[in-house]
Each structure stands twice: as C-alpha cells, then as structure tokens.
Amino acid sequence: MASESTVGIVERVQSFVSENKRAVIIGAAAAAIAVGGVAYYASTSSRPRSQGDIEKAARKDKKKSSKGGKKKKSVKDTDGPILEERKPPAAKPEGEVVGEVLTAEQIAALPTEDRTKLASTFKENGNAAYKARQFAEAAELYTRAIEVSPKPEPVFYSNRAACYVNMTPPKHEFVVRDCDEALKLDINYIKALNRRAIALEGLERYEESLRDFTAATILDKFSNTTTAQAVERVLQKLATKRAAEILATREPRLPSFTFISAYFAAFRPRPHPALPENPSTGDQTLHLALQALEAADYAHALSFINESIDQGISWDVGKAEALNLRGTFKFLTGDVDGAKADLQESLNLVPSFTQSLVKIASVHMEQGNAQKAFECFEEAIKFNPNDPDIYYHRGQVLFIMSEFTQAAENYTKSTELDDQFVFSHIQLAVAQYKSESVANSMATFRRTLKAFPQRSEPQNYYGELLLDQQRFEDAVEKFDRAVELEKLKSPPNVLPLVNKGLTMYQWKQDIGAAERCCNEALRIDPECEAAVATLAQLSLQQSKIEKAVEMFEKQANLARSEPELVNALTYQFASAAQVEFLHNYPEMAAQLNALARGM
Ligand SMILES: *[C@@H]1O[C@H](CO)[C@@H](O)[C@H](O)[C@H]1NC(C)=O
Ligand SMILES: *[C@@H]1O[C@H](CO)[C@@H](O)[C@H](O)[C@H]1NC(C)=O
Ligand SMILES: *[C@@H]1O[C@H](CO)[C@@H](O)[C@H](O)[C@H]1NC(C)=O
C-alpha cells in the first residue's frame, strides 16, 4: 500500500495533463494533427457526390413521417439510403423494365448515358424498398445499380451496406466488404466509415473499428457526439480484451525497484528471527534471503526464498517468515490469490504474526473486501495492541477510502507508539491536507522535516503538496533536496526526479527540463512507471505521437494490476489510432492543426 505514492504520480500526471480521459483522447488527436505540418487545404474541404445532401434529406424525411402520424418501426440506420435526393428522380429510361436482370452483354451494349440513368433508377427503387424495410429487396436493387452503372459509385455500396446493417441478424461481413469498396472510391465518406466501424465492432474486430470511428470523429471535426462516444466505447472494449489476453499469458514479473522498495519501506524494520542451533540447509537459505532483502537485492531475495521453502525450513517461526515473504513477492507480481494462500499458511503457523495479518488485509482490499481487511486489523490488535505497523496500515486503508479524519487518528496512534517511522508522519500530514486542515498539514510537515533531516521522503511529499498549491519554486527546492539525499543511496529512489520534472512542466511549460528529469530517472530505474507515464504524456503534448505510443506500450508492460494495464492500453490504442489516421489522411494534418488550435 506504500505503492500509493508511485501509483499516485501516474494518476496525477494523467489528470494534470488533461481533465479527463476523454479530453486526453481528443487532445491526443488534436496533438496528432500538428505532426504533418504541411499546409494542404485543398482536397479536404470539398465533398464530392451526393452524400452531402443526406442530412438535409434525413431531416425532411423525419418531418414528413411525423406529420403522417403513422408510428413506424424505426430503421436503425436512419440516415441511410432512405433519403430523398434533392434532385428529382431520373425518369425511367424508355423501354426498360426495371427489375429485369440484364446480362453483362446486354449491359455492355447499352449507351453510357442509359446505363447511368438505369443505375439511378435502381437506386431510387432501392431507396424506396429500404424505406419500406424490404432490406433484401433493396440490397438486390443496389446490386443492380452497381452492375449497370458505367462507373463505380460509393453511394451504391454504402446504401447496400445499410441494408445489410438492418437485416436480422446483421450481415457484418457484407457491410465491411461494401464499405471497403465505398471507401476505396471516397476515403472521406464519413457515413461509410461509421457503418464499417459499427460492423467491425459487431465482429469484435475492435482495433479496426477504432480506426474507423477515430477517422470519422476527426473528419467530422469532433462534432458528432455519437461517434465520439463510440470511440470511447470501442477503446474500452479493446483495452479490456487485450488486457485480459496479456494477463492470461504473461509471465509474472516483479515491479520496478522504486515500487518494491516503497512497498517494503512501509513496514518497520524488524530483527531477523534467530536461526535454530543446528540450522537446516533451508534455514540457511532463508537467512540468505533476509540478507538479500536487507540489501535491497530483490531478485536474489525472491529466488532464495523460493529455494528455502523448497529445501524445507525446520522451525515454525522461520517457516511463517518465509511464507510471509513469498506471499509478499506474489502480491507484488500481481498474484493476489497466491499471496493470500501463502499469507494464510503463514498465519496458520503463527496466528499472531502481525505482518502477515496486515498484508492479508491489503490482499482483501485488493479484492474489494474492506470489511475483511478491517477484521484482520482487529485481529492483529488483539495479539499486539501496541504494534505501530497495524495502525499505520489501517490508516492507509482508511486513506484509500477517503476517510481522512479516521486515517489521521490512526497515523497519530502509530506515531505515539513509535515516532521513528517517517511514513506515519508524512501520511498524517497528507491526510490532514486532504481533510482541508492545510495549516495543520504544513506544520506537521515542517516538524517532520526537522525530525528527519537526512530522509528524502518528507522533502518529496512536502514538495508534492506545495506543487498541488502551485507553489512551484518551493516545490522544486524540496524536490532538489530530496534528489540530493537520494544520491547518497544506491540505487536512489527516482520519484523526486519525476516530481521535479512534472513541476518544471506545470510551472514553466518547460518540456525539455521535464523530459531530462524523466530520462535521468529512467537511466537509474529503467522500469520506473511514473517516469514512463510522464514521458508518454509529454510526448503527446508535443505531438510526438509515435514516441507516445511507444511509451504507452512500455507503461502497459510495466503495469501490474488490471486497471493500470487497461488504462495504459487505452492511451496506447487511442494514440495508435491517431497515428494511423495521419498515415491514411496525410492531407488532413494541416487542417486539423487549425482545428486543434480552436479547441
Ligand atoms: C453521427 O454518427 C453516427 C454513427 O456513429 C451516425 O449514425 C449519425 O448519423 C451521425 N450524426 C450526424 C449528425 O452526422
Ligand atoms: C518462486 O516461486 C513461485 C511459485 O511458488 C514462482 O511463481 C516464481 O517464478 C519463483 N521465482 C523464482 C525467482 O524462482
Ligand atoms: C482508527 O480507525 C478505526 C476505523 O477502522 C477507528 O475505529 C478508530 O477510532 C481509529 N483511531 C484509532 C486511534 O484507532
């Protein structure tokens, strides 16, 4: 739960850069647009052919039907081919019987002008059939129009697609095929894009559906809220589906050094359990594991702990300790069930083991069971009423639940029992800040800074609150001090560096400085997700969309929990769709640039 701090930064980065996800997604598009940069307005503003009239026709049609007062079952695709054209329908070509199938030879023998007229008639009849909800017949008529027309018309394909949309069940594959044709002929055909997007969504081809909805949204200049909502909906489906696939297949992996050390730092150091007189091999390996842990060598600590359990530990207290530690590592790799099993086994051996009780409370929280978590704390207090860790961690749970007053009480209790644990002081100050006692909070921080002059954490978290109050200069000073103190450690915690970067950006919009801080942080801890997330957002801001996609991918790789993974994937897919848009519509770049400035 000390992980709060790391996760917190990632969230703050994202919420700062934009008010909400939707704005970021659209903001990403807006940023994406600046990429091309070439002024090239000509081709995009003129809309060829008759689709332009469709909206007007649709409104007219709606009015008419409401006047008629007949309650018609609504056609799903209301702006489909029901529409009347502005031009009166072409007269029937002389001597032709509409409805009779012509062979390819007969068609080829007709003069071009007649073929155009005939195609138009087929389309009119198709529209009439569509309006009468005779979708199969309408589709057939559009097919005739396509066959007879001397040149391919996108509207014939798009209208036929609308028929397939409305069949029961909808023929998604056919919709996609027809829209492919329509869009080959007119890449700016928004209606065809929307139709294909809906069909692709129906086929669960979410990435392609997102591509089309994104293109439609941008081409529509973000004016169509239905499409904008569709972008979000499909993004959500895509990210959730992909996250499930990733979680099902990927090897469990430890999180970044920054994250793990923050987690372990949330527990007061305890003396190692004394080894029995004649330690077994497993006992000795456990000893090595605890030494590696103390040296912050987490990879070795983990393999030693596994080994020690496999080798067999000879006494219960040692075994409970080992299971506690293995459970902790499982929790850190996202294996919540495995963690629970180990911690429970540890408690079966030593029911009064405070750390296992406190950690299993975190597991219950992770599983959304706050009541169970509080029961564990009560249980722990029954055994060890004066263990300060219990109150600190109960404070953390209350903090997450936004019960800041009770959290502050519990932190205070923890401090009363042991005032040497810096995080109780820091969290107390933050809880006071959150419950609007800003003056108290600042006073607590100043006392803590004085009491722990060699610790970087009070500097760092005080800096965060100063940043929140937009006291940028003071914040940077604190972060700098924290960075200095961390330099004495090996390896240093890089969060103050990321925080400094964020501040430079919020204060002076100094993206260069912000990136330098984050890159430095990544040099020290290549898996620091706060740095990766910040770089991703900064890349978006600078329209470096491809770099942003790369960073979001990295963020997704680092994500531990499903919500974190879904979040990173959402940004990744949203940006990737926009990269693809720019690739497919290079001439839109400049025009959209202007649009972005207006947003
Ligand atoms: C908005 O988009 C939806 C499809 O996403 C489409 O059905 C609708 O006609 C569009 N509205 C306008 C006003 O273009
Ligand atoms: C430790 O053991 C767990 C299962 O008990 C396993 O998932 C993990 O890969 C092991 N790790 C190492 C480094 O041996
Ligand atoms: C701590 O939190 C609990 C709620 O879980 C509350 O009942 C208690 O009064 C708080 N304060 C202390 C000092 O334990």
Side-chain angles (χ1 to χ4, degrees):
M1 245 156 254
S3 54
E4 270 306 275
S5 56
T6 351
V7 174
I9 288 199
V10 175
E11 274 164 12
R12 271 187 301 122
V13 173
Q14 285 166 352
S15 63
F16 161 70
V17 171
S18 215
E19 284 300 312
N20 54 45
K21 193 169 283 169
R22 182 162 185 172
V24 171
I25 290 163
I26 295 190
I33 354 196
V35 175
V38 198
Y40 195 85
Y41 287 78
S43 68
T44 46
S45 44
S46 66
R47 300 269 297 112
R49 283 177 280 272
S50 58
Q51 303 102 279
D53 301 334
I54 278 173
E55 264 65 57
K56 217 179 269 171
R59 282 195 294 276
K60 212 165 98 193
D61 188 67
K62 215 157 141 196
K63 238 180 22 219
K64 226 167 48 186
S65 69
S66 65
K67 221 188 282 169
K70 233 198 301 168
K71 199 158 173 209
K72 268 197 284 182
K73 202 171 154 212
S74 78
V75 175
K76 254 188 256 163
D77 193 335
T78 49
D79 56 357
I82 0 176
L83 332 151
E84 296 165 14
E85 305 286 332
R86 221 174 12 196
K87 277 182 272 165
K92 266 190 196 179
E94 208 132 314
E96 288 297 338
V97 185
V98 172
E100 201 165 274
V101 182
L102 298 174
T103 65
E105 288 77 28
Q106 286 171 311
I107 290 170
L110 286 172
T112 306
E113 202 180 317
D114 284 1
R115 287 176 60 182
T116 306
K117 278 186 190 157
L118 195 52
S120 167
T121 308
F122 279 131
K123 188 188 76 171
E124 291 313 317
N125 292 349
N127 288 359
Y130 183 98
K131 231 193 282 189
R133 302 189 56 82
Q134 304 293 326
F135 300 120
E137 190 187 330
E140 178 60 28
L141 286 158
Y142 295 129
T143 304
R144 305 264 185 92
I146 290 166
E147 282 165 0
V148 79
S149 177
K151 72 177 169 68
E153 292 288 348
V155 67
F156 298 165
Y157 290 100
S158 181
N159 284 5
R160 190 169 64 180
C163 300
Y164 295 135
V165 167
N166 282 287
M167 288 178 182
T168 335
K171 297 191 165 169
H172 295 311
E173 276 96 358
F174 288 20
V175 176
V176 172
R177 197 191 55 195
D178 273 352
C179 291
D180 283 348
E181 285 307 315
L183 287 158
K184 239 185 261 166
L185 297 165
D186 177 8
I187 194 176
N188 294 315
Y189 198 164
I190 296 177
K191 220 166 279 296
L193 274 171
N194 271 324
R195 252 170 220 151
R196 190 169 67 181
I198 292 165
L200 288 166
E201 186 182 355
L203 292 167
E204 300 192 8
R205 286 160 63 181
Y206 298 131
E207 213 160 343
E208 294 159 275
S209 172
L210 179 65
R211 170 203 63 200
D212 286 351
F213 275 131
T214 302
T217 312
I218 303 177
L219 290 174
D220 242 354
K221 307 200 168 24
F222 304 106
S223 64
N224 186 333
T225 42
T226 314
T227 319
Q229 281 162 5
V231 168
E232 284 184 63
R233 182 184 65 238
V234 174
L235 251 181
Q236 182 66 25
K237 287 184 187 173
L238 177 57
T240 311
K241 188 174 168 207
R242 187 60 56 85
E245 285 164 9
I246 291 174
L247 289 175
T249 54
R250 91 174 168 192
E251 289 287 311
R253 208 163 22 75
L254 281 180
S256 71
F257 177 83
T258 304
F259 190 95
I260 305 178
S261 54
Y263 186 86
F264 280 109
F267 295 89
R268 289 170 172 78
R270 288 173 303 129
H272 296 172
L275 283 184
E277 249 173 58
N278 296 308
S280 68
T281 316
D283 297 349
Q284 283 163 353
T285 312
L286 169 62
H287 187 64
L288 291 177
L290 294 171
Q291 279 180 330
L293 186 64
E294 210 165 74
D297 180 355
Y298 302 120
H300 280 113
L302 173 56
S303 56
F304 280 138
I305 209 71
N306 271 1
E307 220 180 310
S308 74
I309 293 173
D310 290 343
Q311 289 167 338
I313 292 165
S314 69
W315 84 119
D316 279 357
V317 168
K319 216 165 167 180
E321 187 76 33
L323 286 163
N324 171 289
L325 195 50
R326 192 174 71 178
T328 306
F329 277 117
K330 284 182 179 171
F331 187 63
L332 287 168
T333 52
D335 175 9
V336 176
D337 293 330
K340 199 174 182 179
D342 276 355
L343 292 167
Q344 192 53 59
E345 207 182 325
S346 158
L347 285 169
N348 293 345
L349 293 164
V350 182
S352 64
F353 194 176
T354 303
Q355 251 203 30
S356 289
L357 279 167
V358 166
K359 284 176 180 169
I360 215 167
S362 316
V363 173
H364 289 308
M365 278 310 282
E366 190 85 7
Q367 296 179 325
N369 194 340
Q371 164 134 19
K372 265 265 170 66
F374 283 112
E375 281 167 21
C376 292
F377 290 125
E378 289 299 336
E379 183 79 2
I381 289 171
K382 228 167 55 193
F383 288 114
N384 302 297
N386 293 324
D387 186 326
D389 270 356
I390 304 172
Y391 301 94
Y392 172 71
H393 285 278
R394 187 158 72 177
Q396 297 289 79
V397 167
L398 291 161
F399 188 96
I400 295 175
M401 299 168 70
S402 301
E403 300 281 354
F404 299 118
T405 310
Q406 283 190 39
E409 273 175 34
N410 277 269
Y411 295 135
T412 303
K413 170 94 179 171
S414 177
T415 328
E416 281 164 9
L417 292 168
D418 167 19
D419 66 357
Q420 290 308 299
F421 185 63
V422 71
F423 290 107
S424 309
H425 298 268
I426 293 172
Q427 285 297 125
L428 172 61
V430 179
Q432 286 170 330
Y433 186 78
K434 293 269 189 183
S435 54
E436 316 279 320
S437 334
V438 177
N440 283 345
S441 165
M442 296 294 131
T444 305
F445 258 124
R446 280 191 296 273
R447 272 199 310 278
T448 310
L449 288 176
K450 211 177 271 171
F452 298 88
Q454 292 311 311
R455 295 294 298 254
S456 71
E457 295 89 348
Q459 308 278 349
N460 181 52
Y461 293 102
Y462 190 26
E464 287 189 6
L465 295 198
L466 293 168
L467 173 58
D468 194 58
Q469 297 170 74
Q470 310 211 340
R471 291 168 59 185
F472 299 119
E473 206 164 351
D474 296 335
V476 168
E477 189 203 314
K478 299 293 173 242
F479 294 138
D480 274 336
R481 178 77 191 127
V483 170
E484 284 309 308
L485 289 168
E486 282 294 332
K487 272 189 188 151
L488 305 172
K489 293 194 204 160
S490 159
N493 183 319
V494 297
L495 289 182
L497 260 172
V498 179
N499 271 328
K500 182 183 174 185
L502 258 183
T503 312
M504 295 308 287
Y505 178 51
Q506 294 192 35
W507 182 14
K508 302 181 169 178
Q509 283 70 53
D510 189 344
I511 292 187
E515 285 188 330
R516 278 192 298 281
C517 288
C518 293
N519 285 324
E520 173 67 7
L522 282 184
R523 197 183 56 72
I524 297 166
D525 180 0
E527 308 206 314
C528 173
E529 55 175 351
V532 171
T534 309
L535 280 174
Q537 298 288 345
L538 291 173
S539 304
L540 268 193
Q541 291 295 296
Q542 295 170 88
S543 318
K544 295 181 188 165
I545 299 295
E546 302 198 4
K547 171 87 193 267
V549 173
E550 184 195 320
M551 284 292 144
F552 286 128
E553 259 174 68
K554 198 165 169 183
Q555 192 185 334
N557 278 329
L558 293 173
R560 274 171 320 280
S561 68
E562 189 173 2
E564 281 168 46
L565 181 56
V566 170
N567 180 49
L569 288 172
T570 303
Y571 282 98
Q572 181 193 321
F573 287 124
S575 325
Q578 285 146 27
V579 170
E580 194 172 356
F581 174 80
L582 286 178
H583 177 79
N584 294 339
Y585 297 83
E587 75 283 1
M588 283 300 286
Q591 216 192 39
L592 283 169
N593 201 5
L595 188 67
R597 280 196 300 272
M599 275 181 25

